[in-house]
Amino acid sequence: MTRTVAVLVLATVASALANPSPVPRDVRRALAGATVLVLPAQCGGVLLERATVVATALHCVKDGPLHRVRLPDGSEHAAHVAITDTAADQAILTLDEPASATPLFLARRAPITGTVLYFAGNPERPRPQDSRLDRIGRCESLPDLPNALFTSIDGTPGDSGSPLVDGASQVVGLVHGGARCHIATPASTLGPMLDRVLRHG
């Protein structure tokens, strides 16, 4: 190894040590393996509890019931909107065939204020980051949802529908954004929809 290469390697290692990822390795791996791209809207989504079930934001699938989902391995699957919640801006899609990826589980208890949560965003341009749950309440962008999750995530257009997870990589919400406040929609509204889809196969 030449002296120049050695210096570059040491500089890279030093930079990584000085600026470690805020997201634990296991959580990063889980997010990368389960976050999908919903087409044609180019939104995020997440494989949820089954290899044939995807949760995303409802406004990402407003153009009709038929969509495609790009998986982490680059393959694309046909997807159908199975159930929606307008107040929570959430939708669950079912894939025509199982994905070759590991789904995440849904958190069945709401996180408490101050909980550290994690986010990677749109899988086309992931930006892993940690986030704090600042409060739970109502946002003017979704006035009929009383328990939106107000967080410190730095989201950008295209992140909608991407999962927000806890330290156990359980999905606590889906990124929504919004013109008046930056929020995630909660797992508590996803749960009943997910149960209904799983119950009916």
Side-chain angles (χ1 to χ4, degrees):
M1 181 182 292
T2 67
R3 186 174 186 278
T4 301
V5 173
V7 169
L8 288 174
V9 170
L10 289 174
T12 301
V13 172
S15 176
L17 292 174
N19 301 286
S21 171
V23 182
R25 182 180 301 175
D26 289 347
V27 176
R28 285 203 317 271
R29 186 180 299 117
L31 282 169
T35 302
V36 302
L37 189 71
V38 177
L39 302 169
Q42 300 282 334
C43 284
V46 60
L47 287 165
L48 193 59
E49 300 212 357
R50 297 288 187 277
T52 54
V53 175
V54 170
T56 189
L58 175 57
H59 69 265
C60 294
V61 294
K62 63 182 180 181
D63 293 333
L66 303 178
H67 299 269
R68 296 193 68 78
V69 168
R70 184 176 299 156
L71 302 177
D73 65 4
S75 63
E76 292 187 9
H77 291 239
H80 305 263
V81 177
I83 191 170
T84 64
D85 184 330
T86 303
D89 188 49
Q90 293 174 335
I92 290 184
L93 287 61
T94 54
L95 303 181
D96 281 356
E97 56 185 86
S100 57
T102 303
L104 301 183
F105 284 95
L106 187 69
R108 296 290 177 163
R109 292 184 179 180
I112 62 173
T113 300
T115 299
V116 176
L117 303 172
Y118 302 99
F119 161 81
N122 190 296
E124 295 287 277
R125 49 183 186 282
R127 301 175 325 284
Q129 56 190 275
D130 60 357
S131 170
R132 183 184 62 257
L133 178 59
D134 293 327
R135 65 185 178 91
I136 298 175
R138 196 180 303 274
C139 168
E140 292 181 30
S141 295
L142 292 176
D144 295 324
L145 179 68
N147 56 343
L149 308 179
F150 288 75
T151 74
S152 59
I153 61 173
D154 180 22
T156 61
D159 288 336
S160 293
S162 301
L164 186 67
V165 303
D166 60 19
S169 301
Q170 294 180 315
V171 176
V172 301
L174 301 177
V175 173
H176 173 74
R180 296 176 181 263
C181 42
H182 299 286
I183 59 169
T185 58
S188 60
T189 47
L190 272 175
M193 289 196 296
L194 176 64
D195 292 341
R196 183 173 174 184
V197 169
L198 296 182
R199 190 163 56 243
H200 289 86

